[in-house]
């Protein structure tokens, strides 16, 4: 009790000394004026977003993962055409904020990893899993919202099959030194349907289905890719903001 009272006196003294030493203006920061951005309302992208897919006119932003023309079904959404392979953006990105909406098939087929499987690969290497995880158990670091084989999502915020779902992602690219060693890992923060499921999760390396991942130095910016895992998963309203 006595000690608490003493520390209270000391704290008050420090504050009042600081108050005398500094003026309020001395801690005001006028160095960088934030740009004006018009926020997106009702699912619209914010004014400074790069649109990656909002409809057929945006097929120009995508190619087959080998660089050939796009083979997926492209109308109001981009849908996996089974067996054709993954797709990637024409542009490259590093640190970014990504919004993407996805839908697994309404007609449920398969179980575990075989049900509505696809994936969003930041920099073509780091997978945020897309899966129908509504009443569909699989290994937890492989369900929807997992950073595949590395991080289990904090919760399962999945909607049912056939429903449009959202991911809002903040991705920080890994940093390498000139010798190619990793200085800082890649980080994912992810909201699934508005619910936080990955909170600054650090990656051990690129996504591997088998074995322990090991970083390999790469460019500061690389295309975003979407996976063909044999299920007709759809994507729409894809936009990105470089950070
Ligand atoms: Mg996948």
């Amino acid at each position: 009790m006595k000690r608490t009272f003493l520390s209270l006196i000391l704290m008050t003294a420090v504050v009042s000394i600081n108050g005398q030493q500094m003026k309020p203006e001395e801690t005001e920061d006028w160095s960088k004026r934030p740009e004006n951005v018009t926020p997106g309302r009702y699912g619209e992208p914010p004014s400074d977003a790069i649109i990656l897919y909002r409809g057929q006119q945006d097929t120009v932003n995508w190619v087959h993962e080998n660089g050939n023309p796009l083979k997926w079904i492209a109308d109001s959404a981009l849908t996996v055409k089974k067996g054709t392979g993954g797709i990637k953006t024409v542009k490259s990105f590093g640190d970014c904020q990504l919004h993407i909406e996805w839908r697994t098939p309404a007609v449920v087929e398969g179980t575990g990893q075989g049900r509505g499987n696809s994936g969003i690969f930041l920099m073509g290497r780091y997978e945020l899993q897309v899966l129908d995880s509504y009443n569909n158990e699989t290994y937890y670091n492989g369900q929807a919202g997992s950073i595949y084989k590395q991080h289990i999502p904090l919760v399962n915020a999945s909607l049912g099959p056939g429903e449009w779902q959202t991911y809002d992602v903040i991705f920080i690219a890994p940093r390498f030194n000139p010798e190619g060693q990793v200085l800082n890992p890649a980080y994912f923060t992810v909201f699934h349907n508005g619910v936080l499921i990955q909170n600054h999760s650090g990656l051990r390396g690129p996504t591997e289905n088998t074995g322990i991942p090991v970083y390999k130095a790469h460019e500061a910016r690389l295309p975003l890719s979407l996976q063909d895992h044999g299920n007709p998963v759809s994507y729409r309203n894809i936009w990105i903001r470089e950070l």
Side-chain angles (χ1 to χ4, degrees):
M1 185 69 190
K2 204 172 176 184
R3 200 188 295 165
T4 314
F5 183 64
L6 191 67
S7 61
L8 197 69
I9 291 176
L10 277 170
M11 270 172 65
T12 314
V14 169
V15 169
S16 71
I17 288 167
N18 275 342
Q20 281 170 6
Q21 283 176 337
M22 292 186 82
K23 292 174 185 160
E25 303 87 272
E26 290 179 70
T27 45
E28 292 177 0
D29 190 348
W30 290 78
S31 64
K32 187 179 182 295
R33 184 174 187 272
E35 296 269 331
N36 291 334
V37 170
T38 308
R41 294 179 137 197
Y42 313 112
E44 293 293 309
S47 59
D48 64 345
I50 298 167
I51 308 298
L52 293 177
Y53 199 81
R54 300 263 295 160
Q56 230 166 2
Q57 72 279 4
D58 297 318
T59 49
V60 291
N61 299 325
W62 298 86
V63 289
H64 188 278
E65 60 191 358
N66 65 13
N68 286 339
L70 191 68
K71 286 184 181 154
W72 287 16
I73 300 151
D75 40 39
S76 58
L78 263 175
T79 303
V80 174
K81 201 167 173 185
K82 183 180 174 175
T84 61
I87 65 171
K88 66 179 181 181
T89 55
V90 173
K91 282 187 189 150
S92 292
F93 306 98
D95 299 351
C96 64
Q97 173 189 353
L98 170 72
H99 174 88
I100 188 162
E101 300 178 14
W102 54 274
R103 182 184 62 188
T104 61
V107 178
V108 171
E109 280 177 23
T111 56
Q113 293 290 311
R115 183 184 295 182
N117 195 336
S118 183
I120 300 155
F121 283 76
L122 276 292
M123 308 193 92
R125 284 162 170 72
Y126 308 104
E127 185 185 12
L128 169 59
Q129 174 70 310
V130 168
L131 193 75
D132 176 359
S133 284
Y134 189 82
N135 295 331
N136 179 36
E137 194 110 321
T138 184
Y139 43 94
Y140 305 123
N141 62 355
Q143 70 177 58
S146 64
I147 306 305
Y148 189 75
K149 291 272 179 92
Q150 297 196 40
H151 289 283
I152 297 170
L154 296 171
V155 292
N156 183 354
S158 295
L159 293 172
E163 296 219 52
W164 281 104
Q165 310 197 44
T166 62
Y167 279 156
D168 286 282
V169 181
I170 297 162
F171 175 76
I172 307 297
R175 301 296 198 267
F176 301 94
N177 68 15
E179 287 72 48
Q181 294 152 327
V182 68
L183 293 173
N184 295 307
Y187 288 102
F188 270 98
T189 296
V190 182
F191 293 85
H192 182 190
N193 298 322
V195 179
L196 181 69
I197 57 162
Q198 296 288 346
N199 186 8
H200 198 59
S201 302
L203 274 68
R204 300 169 73 178
T207 300
E208 298 287 358
N209 191 28
T210 309
I212 305 300
V214 178
Y215 276 108
K216 238 177 108 183
H218 55 67
E219 296 87 333
R221 286 155 190 258
L222 285 165
L224 170 80
S225 60
L226 302 176
Q227 184 185 43
D228 169 11
H229 202 282
N231 303 132
V233 172
S234 298
Y235 293 94
R236 72 174 187 190
N237 200 13
I238 312 170
W239 52 260
I240 198 164
R241 296 179 64 246
E242 295 184 282
L243 302 178

